[in-house]
Amino acid sequence: MRDYVFYRNFKQSYPIVERGEGIYVYDKDGKRYIDGCCGALVSNLGHGIEEVADAICKQVRKIAFAHLSMLVSEPAIELASLIKELAPGDLNYTWFVSGGSEAVESAVKLARQYFLERDRNNTSKYKIIGRWNSFHGNTLGALAIGGHIPRRKPYIPMLMEFPHISTHYCYRCPYNLEYPRCNVRCAFELEEVIKREGPQYVAAFIAEPVVGATVGALVPPPEYWPIVREICNKYDVLLIADEVMTGFGRTGENFAVNHWNVTPDMIVLGKGMAAGYSPLAGVIVSEKIVDTIKKGSGRFIHGHTYGGNPLSCATGVAVIKYIIKHNLIENVKKVGLILGELLKKELCEVPIVGEVRGIGLMWGIELVKDKETKLPFPREKNVSSVVFNALLEKGLLVYPGSGAADGINGDHFMVAPPFILQSEEAKEIVSILKETLVEVSKVLLN
Ligand SMILES: Cc1ncc(COP(=O)(O)O)c(C=O)c1O
């Protein structure tokens, strides 16, 4: 039968998935794969969770749809309350959308509207500062703010010009410095850029607390987020944490910013929010911003049709309740430590492994041609794809990426299994990784 799916890559063949159970997915020929990356850090609970399926069935029988401009559903109200309880500080309100890019667009538009309302339209603040080696989504606004060169390159003429600062990529420090003697130089770049652009024009700074897709589980030095919070306060710039990948427990805390006791002005949500069972994303917004809108025009001039739809919200409620009931974030911490230790111990000797880094159940493995000089493989070798395919063959799914080293070259992949992972399963994942990477090393370095 001819297949009319417009694939992400027509030069790749994709197994047809049939079903999933726990940390495993099965294709239609019965082959079993360990879901070692939850799709793209999405299906955080694993597959086939009855409680979530029941909640979805119950809700879908009640109503087809309710547009949030006319009606609000009980699941939307309940979900917002649950999120308020999990979020730090005065992050009390949730704006609902369907995907991470929509959520990022919402956050940056809200930053602009906040200043318009607060300063009675007398504001010049509109610029959003992002970071190189970051990803905030593929819509044009989110792509402009993000800093992943291969994803941006074809669309550059269509992107708004926003400033970017370097990321805390310690393995390849943009300043050629070493932590802690660097005094977190990269965090202070934010202040320089705000001053250069003019604080009167800068509305917000957006960053992923642990960088995901573009570099692979890059954890900042502990001082980083407190420093950028202080700089944002000093220059009246909103701080937006993009927790599309890290939110709802992935790093071993409800939100990754909790590791550093920092409360941003907004947290962007997605992916794990409904753990893959339904499209759901959002923005948690501070009381300060919501109050300003309430006292001003009363309405955010923005919105998407499926935002706050009852089915996705009921799914989100079921997912959060499941995480709490089964104490899954504790498991992320516990098994995450085991997985991290194993990855470091077993992979450090593999000739093409440059660095193993991460936190919780979010681990990145950077691949290099030369361990000593950190020289990346040339792009045309497609090393992250080669590794992905070799692991797929062996029944392990990981999340590959490229371009981090210099915008073109550089290969890495992420290991980010479901929160229900047990230590024996962590061992199995690492054993497959080691065997495969040793084999691939031999071929690539030959
Ligand atoms: C940090 C981050 N923000 C935003 C997005 C965009 O989310 P979506 O693909 O749901 O639009 C992603 C997707 O990978 C992401 O990792």
Side-chain angles (χ1 to χ4, degrees), residues 131-189:
R131 299 190 302 188
W132 294 115
N133 266 331
S134 72
F135 182 59
H136 299 295
N138 273 323
T139 51
L140 291 173
L143 199 60
I145 292 154
H148 186 236
I149 289 167
R151 283 181 174 95
R152 286 167 55 92
K153 211 168 178 181
Y155 304 106
I156 281 176
M158 302 159 83
L159 301 182
M160 254 188 106
E161 288 243 355
F162 282 128
H164 292 78
I165 63 168
S166 317
T167 300
H168 46 78
Y169 193 1
C170 297
Y171 182 67
R172 299 182 186 280
C173 175
Y175 292 101
N176 264 327
L177 295 171
E178 228 173 90
Y179 180 81
R181 273 182 300 140
C182 64
N183 289 324
V184 204
R185 173 79 183 77
C186 55
F188 291 100
E189 198 181 320

Side-chain angles (χ1 to χ4, degrees), residues 8 40-42 98-104 134-139 142 151 206-214 241-246 268-271 280-281 362 399 414:
R8 287 267 183 129
L41 292 80
V42 178
S98 307
S101 306
E102 279 184 5
V104 167
S134 72
F135 182 59
H136 299 295
N138 273 323
T139 51
R151 283 181 174 95
I206 185 167
E208 298 160 81
V210 177
V211 184
T214 52
D242 182 346
E243 298 235 21
V244 166
M245 276 201 170
T246 51
V268 183
L269 311 168
K271 297 192 189 275
L280 177 64
M362 186 170 179
Y399 188 75
M414 273 201 286

Side-chain angles (χ1 to χ4, degrees), residues 9 12 352 367 377-394 396 398 400-402 411-413 436-445:
N9 180 358
Q12 191 180 318
I352 60 168
L367 305 167
F377 285 99
R379 182 71 271 118
E380 56 276 15
K381 291 263 182 207
N382 274 325
V383 168
S384 47
S385 302
V386 169
V387 168
F388 171 83
N389 285 320
L391 289 166
L392 184 75
E393 188 63 34
K394 295 217 162 129
L396 174 63
V398 297
S402 59
D411 296 276
H412 65 270
F413 64 88
T436 312
L437 288 172
V438 167
E439 284 168 18
V440 174
S441 292
K442 282 184 191 148
V443 176
L444 288 174
L445 300 178

Side-chain angles (χ1 to χ4, degrees), residues 254-286:
N254 291 340
F255 297 97
V257 287
N258 295 3
H259 289 288
W260 312 290
N261 291 320
V262 164
T263 304
D265 299 289
M266 294 183 233
I267 293 182
V268 183
L269 311 168
K271 297 192 189 275
M273 189 174 179
Y277 289 87
S278 185
L280 177 64
V283 188
I284 327 179
V285 184
S286 71

Side-chain angles (χ1 to χ4, degrees), residues 2 7 54 58 63 68 122 146 227 231 247 275 281 323 326 340 379:
R2 231 176 125 180
Y7 285 100
D54 289 345
K58 205 166 147 201
I63 191 153
L68 208 48
N122 188 19
I227 293 171
I231 294 170
I323 290 174
H326 296 272
R379 182 71 271 118

